[in-house]
Amino acid sequence: MKVVVLTGAGISAESGVPTFRDADGLWEGHRVEDVATPEAYDVQPTVVHRFYDDRRRALGRVAPNPAHLALARLEEGIGDDLLVITQNIDDLHERAGSTRVLHMHGELRSALCRACMRRTPWTGDLGDFPPCPGCGVTELRPDVVWFGEMPYEMDRIFVALDQADLFVAIGTSGAVYPAAGFVQFASGAGARTLELNLAPSEVTGLFDDARQGLAGELVPRWVDELLG
Ligand SMILES: [Zn+2]
């Protein structure tokens, strides 16, 4: 059975990673258009770098939770038949032990060169404008997908959704496209669909089945069912 899992902010929030939008509509006190658009970067690169540098450093203060660990256990059990697609830019899936992870919105621990387009693993800061290890030009930006930019890996994602027997969305709001459309695509291609979320999302009605609760409780239980 081929399983495709989509994870969103909800799974990381239980590890203490701030969610993309707080209740006040801000992202850690910033308006989204001030830190998460190419235009913002063109106007205020230092502000944007400081924001992502802070978030990259904060990764050292959080750890994978039981939901991340359960997905790594599922990969141990079914191997190549599992693909995790994440909207999250943290590295908690990898640190839990998952290896088959697609970061459709990019990664904090990666830098993208605007001169040569090379993506380089990056754990330090970018706000001091270091040179690109590939071409030497000082055009490294956070390797995250901003508003108005194309998400990564869409071809591979749609092939996987097309072949999936089961599609499971974990901790996603159902408000951000294209990910919000994955359930309809997978369902149309014949997959069963399941939503695991803290509360009903904007697309809960499109899933065959939905469970509400903490990811740290729902995901290990679901993995037990699947492997059992
Ligand atoms: Zn370069």
Side-chain angles (χ1 to χ4, degrees):
M1 182 168 72
K2 291 198 172 297
V3 182
V4 174
V5 170
L6 170 69
T7 66
I11 190 170
S12 293
E14 290 177 32
S15 286
V17 177
T19 54
F20 182 66
R21 281 177 194 267
D22 298 330
D24 57 7
L26 299 177
W27 190 10
E28 295 186 330
H30 294 266
R31 296 189 313 155
V32 166
E33 50 271 44
D34 289 340
V35 291
T37 64
E39 293 77 15
Y41 184 73
D42 286 337
V43 175
Q44 291 190 304
T46 304
V47 171
V48 173
H49 274 312
R50 193 183 309 134
F51 178 78
Y52 290 96
D53 284 348
D54 286 347
R55 292 174 64 83
R56 193 177 303 106
R57 288 181 193 166
L59 291 180
R61 300 193 290 272
V62 295
N65 66 58
H68 296 104
L69 295 168
L71 290 174
R73 187 158 55 85
L74 181 58
E75 185 183 307
E76 271 176 33
I78 68 173
D80 290 352
D81 286 333
L82 174 67
L83 176 67
V84 174
I85 303 162
T86 186
Q87 298 173 279
N88 300 330
I89 58 178
D90 61 60
D91 58 353
L92 293 175
H93 283 302
E94 287 84 355
R95 283 159 60 194
S98 290
T99 63
R100 295 177 48 77
V101 183
L102 297 183
H103 284 267
M104 63 181 291
H105 292 161
E107 299 177 64
L108 276 171
R109 286 189 160 163
S110 179
L112 172 66
C113 178
R114 298 211 301 178
C116 73
M117 301 311 287
R118 170 166 153 169
R119 305 174 72 187
T120 305
W122 205 268
T123 55
D125 288 347
L126 290 170
D128 48 357
F129 298 94
C132 169
C135 69
V137 176
T138 53
E139 282 283 356
L140 293 179
R141 56 162 272 185
D143 191 9
V144 299
V145 176
W146 286 326
F147 286 89
E149 296 183 324
M150 182 69 74
Y152 284 121
E153 306 278 13
M154 293 309 294
D155 290 348
R156 281 176 71 189
I157 288 170
F158 280 109
V159 167
L161 291 171
D162 188 52
Q163 296 173 348
D165 300 299
L166 176 63
F167 171 71
V168 184
I170 301 169
T172 65
S173 66
V176 179
Y177 281 83
F182 290 175
V183 58
Q184 278 174 302
F185 185 89
S187 195
R192 292 279 303 169
T193 56
L194 167 67
E195 180 180 71
L196 306 177
N197 204 32
L198 195 56
S201 77
E202 295 189 22
V203 292
T204 297
L206 300 175
F207 286 83
D208 296 316
D209 189 14
R211 304 176 191 175
Q212 273 103 48
L214 289 169
E217 294 170 5
L218 293 180
V219 178
R221 200 178 308 149
W222 166 69
V223 168
D224 286 344
E225 290 169 20
L226 206 64
L227 292 177

